[in-house]
Amino acid sequence: MDIAVIGATGVVGRECLALLDGGILPDVGRVVPVASAGSAGRDLGAEQGLDLKIEPVVALADFDPAGVDVAVFSAGAPISKRWAPIFAAAGALVVDNSSAFRMEDDVPLVVPQVNPQMLDSRPARGIVANPNCSTIQLVRALHPLRTIGEIDRVIMSSYQSASGGGLRGLEELADTTRALLDGADPAAARPGKFGQPLAFNLIPEIGLRDADGHSHEERKLRREPRKIMGMPGLRVAATAVRVAVVNGHSEAVHVSFTAPVSPDDALAALRAAPGLRVYGNDPADGYPMPQAVCASPTERRLVHVGRVRADEDDPCALWLWVVADNLTVGAALNALEIVSLAAGKSWL
């Protein structure tokens, strides 16, 4: 299987290369990192200390997609809109990490643990959309709960890390934190990537707000779970907050059902689901936190669910606390699991 990684020098692209180096896909042949002309020729394998044979970076405008089996795009919606159809027309299965195609009817939006049936046949356009990072961990926690009852409504808040803003977001958090610790005036900090200074702060807005006051990220969290879970009438309300955390997104999730449910049944359903680490309600079990979740390759590949508890004023509702590495589970891992799922089909 020959793979091109578009946007290979970004945080998600580099994570894709690291996962490929770890053997996540069998029978990987040619791996070509593709990026802007300014990165052409870079040896990302050497830069990242990878054992996998990776070709030097090729400029996107100079790359011929003919013969590529899979193209993983992580370069933003404008690049995807222009180039993904070109790669698909050349015969590649395109897995796109941007928001460019997610809500289009003829493009499947896939989380393999939730809706693998969407890849029973090759998409006519040759494009599969990777969901938003916060959506992926949310639906992976919600999906097992459908075995204990019918979900009626979800109200959630996401606490999203600086790495969701890419390398620029990480650099900005590091630079402004260092400056403030060195005595800089907080009032002098420039807004930068996140619209407001992030160091020692949180920002209750991710993306532009619409006329109704909802941010772009909150709209994604409302629409995408409906499509992935096949529940067009699911009521979802979200508040998306950027926090001064390097990596790892966290979510406080309130789930309402149409009939009474119990935390014990929810814990049992969650523990039976693949790819989840579930924390019980004994204080000794602890709870997931971004720092611990992102501390090892094993933990970074899991969705962590804790603080499962009843809503004391509503027997039909539960609270969950969900944490995942947004670069791994929320982007690169899901994209490559889509490739792995497709590889098991005769059409790839």
Side-chain angles (χ1 to χ4, degrees), residues 123-150:
R125 290 175 63 180
I127 299 172
V128 181
N130 208 36
N132 178 46
C133 48
S134 296
T135 300
I136 292 171
Q137 66 188 74
L138 175 65
V139 298
R140 285 188 56 182
L142 291 178
H143 180 62
L145 298 180
R146 292 199 281 186
T147 64
I148 68 168
E150 181 182 352

Side-chain angles (χ1 to χ4, degrees), residues 125-256:
R125 290 175 63 180
I127 299 172
V128 181
N130 208 36
N132 178 46
C133 48
S134 296
T135 300
I136 292 171
Q137 66 188 74
L138 175 65
V139 298
R140 285 188 56 182
L142 291 178
H143 180 62
L145 298 180
R146 292 199 281 186
T147 64
I148 68 168
E150 181 182 352
I151 297 175
D152 177 59
R153 185 167 191 184
V154 177
I155 300 174
M156 55 92 68
S157 295
S158 67
Y159 305 91
Q160 301 183 209
S161 64
S163 64
L167 289 172
R168 181 182 167 196
L170 289 170
E171 291 168 357
E172 183 177 310
L173 177 61
D175 291 345
T176 53
T177 300
R178 190 176 299 110
L180 292 175
L181 288 172
D182 287 343
D185 181 2
R190 292 180 292 181
K193 171 70 178 178
F194 302 114
Q196 299 291 338
L198 184 59
F200 301 102
N201 201 14
L202 59 80
I203 304 166
E205 178 183 70
I206 301 178
L208 297 176
R209 277 182 287 173
D210 60 23
D212 295 323
H214 300 285
S215 74
H216 186 51
E217 188 77 8
E218 290 157 358
R219 288 293 186 192
K220 295 177 192 175
L221 282 164
R222 180 170 182 262
R223 295 179 304 190
E224 292 180 17
R226 293 174 168 182
K227 182 175 180 179
I228 296 164
M229 299 176 73
M231 301 175 68
L234 179 64
R235 297 185 295 164
V236 182
T239 299
V241 184
R242 186 74 69 185
V243 294
V245 170
V246 172
N247 199 36
H249 290 355
S250 304
E251 297 172 347
V253 185
H254 185 267
V255 189
S256 297

Side-chain angles (χ1 to χ4, degrees), residues 19 27 30 58 64 77 85 89 94 103 109 115 132 135 163 172 175 212 218 228 237 251 259 286 323 331 333 348:
L19 289 170
D27 303 322
R30 184 183 178 210
V58 179
D64 181 1
V94 171
M103 300 312 298
L109 184 65
N115 60 342
N132 178 46
T135 300
S163 64
E172 183 177 310
D175 291 345
D212 295 323
E218 290 157 358
I228 296 164
E251 297 172 347
V323 183
L333 180 63
L348 179 59

Side-chain angles (χ1 to χ4, degrees), residues 14 21 43-52:
R14 293 172 71 91
D21 183 63
D43 185 349
L44 295 182
E47 289 182 23
Q48 294 183 232
L50 306 179
D51 295 323
L52 182 70

